[in-house]
Amino acid sequence: MRIALPVEDKSMESTICQSFGRAPYFLIYDTESQESVFLDNQGAVSQGGAGIKAAQTIVDSKVKALLTPRCGEQAASVLSAANIKIYRTTNDSIRDNIEALTNGTLVLLDEIHAGFHNHRGR
Amino acid sequence: MINVRIAVLSGKGGTGKTIVSVNMAAVAEESTYIDCDVEEPNGHLFFKPRDLGTEEVFVRIPLLDDQLCDGCRRCVDFCRFNALAYVNNRLIVFDDVCHSCGGCVMFCPQQALSEKSKVIGEIRKGVSGGVSVITGRLNTGEASGVPIIKRLLTYIPRSPKPVFIDCPPGSACIVMESIKDADYCILVAEPTTFGVHNLNMVCELVKLFGKPHGVLLNKCLDAYNPAEDYCVRNEIKILGRIPFDKALGRLNSYARIPVRESEKYRELFKALLHTVTKEVRDETVVNP
Ligand code: SF4
Ligand code: SF4
């Protein structure tokens, strides 16, 4: 199964990024072949709709699941339109979370955050 | 004589920007007060204007014809606000993220996109004594208040009455839009170090637009005032000082207009209005 994770750097030893839309990179990982690819997240530098852009990248990489600490409302609606499951990560280790997913111990992310659309003071 | 347009700004909310613009408009007696703080318009709470009607503000957002779309995704790549996504052979439009630039509609090679109207807020017109009170309000969750500001500024009357524009806090694009037509900018500053940081940001903004400006020091105590120090160091005109005063705070919390209740404040704001009007006149002589 192909899965995606927001990560801080282009390495399996890197950590999971706390933000999905603003993560610098995405790891696309194949649990069968154990192949890994790192993608730039163009959403990270965009002026708005970062989550939507990030979700589009994830959809286009044809993954079945996203492992992330959090996810915004708009990103979640893009992902669900593509039937991508969103799992909540348990710590910031990439390997721990991939292992947890294959063992079936990761749970689906149920609280989706309303995006921070407030432009005040910026 | 053409009317003077005075914008009142501050780096953040709560510095007294609304108090200043409301009182200046009230002390001018015959004037127009425009509330551009569309996410939290407060001026009307003070004026309690007699209602003269409401206008809805619309924007144009893209409407998709599924039959014509061939999935080329040109629109998705074009939209710099990322309001579009293409998933499962379907285009998704995020209405709340769209900034109504119209680009996607123009560039769709299949003419699959057209425009539809959507209400994003309203403009309320009223009157309080001699003051026309124009209030803009953006519905919550909408992407940008700029279309409302643009509409609000068309309410500036062609009369010699001065206009006071109560701007949104901060220095984002919506503030730039609000000061575009202003002849003069009053920057309201608090006497704190954090206040100076905010003041510096709005100062940069008004300079960028080449707007003549001055600072009004609010909540002044007898102690050292970092905002005053900032003005002196940067050679920025100090328009006046409003003392920190419990009575003022009280009138404020009851949403009363001090210049309509107290001689002391009437004098203070009259002097301020006089200073600003003189500044504007001097500017037009130097920079016609
Ligand atoms: S540009 Fe037009 S045809 Fe292409 S994906 Fe967008 S709506 Fe469809
Ligand atoms: S109108 Fe502009 S902002 Fe709105 S979806 Fe189209 S390209 Fe994006």
Side-chain angles (χ1 to χ4, degrees):
Chain A
M1 180 168 68
R2 278 165 73 82
I3 60 170
L5 296 94
V7 292
E8 295 285 0
D9 214 338
K10 294 181 169 176
S11 145
M12 289 298 284
E13 316 313 319
S14 166
T15 49
I16 294 175
C17 180
Q18 286 306 305
S19 158
F20 167 65
R22 297 282 175 195
Y25 309 103
F26 293 120
L27 162 63
I28 308 298
Y29 185 80
D30 189 318
T31 51
E32 279 105 52
S33 67
Q34 305 198 344
E35 260 177 285
S36 57
V37 180
F38 293 89
L39 301 176
D40 289 343
N41 173 21
Q42 272 145 17
V45 291
S46 66
Q47 358 179 334
I52 300 171
K53 183 93 182 168
Q56 180 79 63
T57 307
I58 298 300
V59 170
D60 294 343
S61 58
K62 308 237 178 312
V63 299
K64 287 272 175 287
L66 169 71
L67 279 53
T68 180
R70 41 162 48 98
C71 182
E73 208 172 2
Q74 292 159 337
S77 67
V78 173
L79 296 168
S80 77
N83 297 317
I84 294 172
K85 289 207 162 59
I86 310 170
Y87 291 93
R88 181 200 301 278
T89 52
T90 50
N91 60 17
D92 63 7
S93 153
I94 297 173
R95 291 188 195 281
D96 286 2
N97 282 284
I98 294 178
E99 200 180 295
L101 180 77
T102 34
N103 294 341
T105 56
L106 275 195
V107 293
L108 290 172
L109 184 75
D110 43 19
E111 60 180 92
I112 301 296
H113 305 259
F116 187 68
H117 303 305
N118 200 333
H119 297 273
R120 281 185 92 77
R122 261 195 266 155
Chain B
M1 181 193 135
I2 184 80
N3 51 12
V4 293
R5 297 149 183 210
I6 296 161
V8 183
L9 299 88
S10 70
K12 68 169 183 77
T15 54
K17 172 180 64 61
T18 296
I19 313 282
V20 170
S21 30
V22 164
N23 280 283
M24 286 188 77
V27 87
E29 284 171 9
E30 292 288 315
S31 65
T32 304
Y33 166 84
I34 301 186
D35 201 342
C36 287
D37 191 357
V38 295
E39 286 183 39
E40 257 173 60
N42 283 334
H44 68 101
L45 299 175
F46 293 89
F47 280 118
K48 304 172 189 72
R50 185 157 54 82
D51 193 14
L52 294 179
T54 304
E55 178 206 358
E56 286 186 318
V57 181
F58 297 88
V59 292
R60 313 286 288 163
I61 56 167
L63 175 69
L64 178 74
D65 182 340
D66 277 316
Q67 302 296 309
L68 294 176
C69 173
D70 69 357
C72 71
R73 294 172 61 152
R74 211 152 313 163
C75 55
V76 178
D77 295 336
F78 175 83
C79 182
R80 62 188 176 106
F81 300 103
N82 301 318
L84 304 171
Y86 194 82
V87 181
N88 257 351
N89 302 319
R90 250 196 65 232
L91 185 72
I92 309 176
V93 182
F94 287 89
D95 292 0
D96 295 353
V97 182
C98 172
H99 279 57
S100 302
C101 73
C104 57
V105 177
M106 209 154 82
F107 285 113
C108 171
Q110 306 300 324
Q111 269 101 49
L113 294 169
S114 58
E115 288 185 321
K116 65 175 179 193
S117 298
K118 176 184 143 191
V119 176
I120 60 157
E122 61 172 30
I123 290 173
R124 203 171 268 261
K125 225 185 133 175
V127 64
S128 164
V131 185
S132 307
V133 180
I134 320 285
T135 305
R137 185 187 299 276
L138 178 71
N139 294 344
T140 40
E142 290 302 338
S144 163
V146 170
I148 300 196
I149 308 279
K150 285 200 165 122
R151 194 80 199 118
L152 272 171
L153 297 179
T154 65
Y155 279 79
I156 294 179
R158 296 191 174 278
S159 74
K161 295 193 283 185
V163 178
F164 298 89
I165 303 167
D166 190 350
C167 298
S171 49
C173 52
I174 189 161
V175 183
M176 305 185 198
E177 200 63 44
S178 311
I179 64 169
K180 235 189 214 157
D181 290 340
D183 300 308
Y184 196 85
C185 294
I186 300 180
L187 317 180
V188 183
E190 282 184 337
T192 61
T193 313
F194 187 59
V196 171
H197 170 76
N198 288 314
L199 176 59
N200 185 34
M201 284 190 340
V202 263
C203 260
E204 294 299 319
L205 179 78
V206 294
K207 277 189 207 149
L208 191 71
F209 277 73
K211 297 283 179 194
H213 57 279
V215 169
L216 179 62
L217 300 166
N218 193 15
K219 305 184 189 174
C220 293
L221 298 160
D222 283 334
Y224 165 73
N225 186 337
E228 177 157 9
D229 191 44
Y230 173 87
C231 295
V232 174
R233 267 187 292 122
N234 292 282
E235 298 177 12
I236 300 164
K237 167 93 184 169
I238 295 174
L239 301 166
R241 293 171 183 76
I242 303 177
F244 180 81
D245 177 350
K246 284 210 182 90
L248 187 62
R250 203 170 319 121
L251 285 169
N252 192 17
S253 61
Y254 291 123
R256 305 283 260 286
I257 301 177
V259 302
R260 287 184 177 170
E261 315 236 344
S262 128
E263 191 55 39
K264 178 174 150 202
Y265 289 111
R266 194 149 43 236
E267 289 311 315
L268 196 152
F269 280 97
K270 238 186 211 157
L272 179 62
L273 181 63
H274 183 79
T275 311
V276 174
T277 319
K278 190 170 167 298
E279 282 284 304
V280 178
R281 232 179 273 135
D282 291 353
E283 279 293 335
T284 31
V285 173
V286 184
N287 272 324

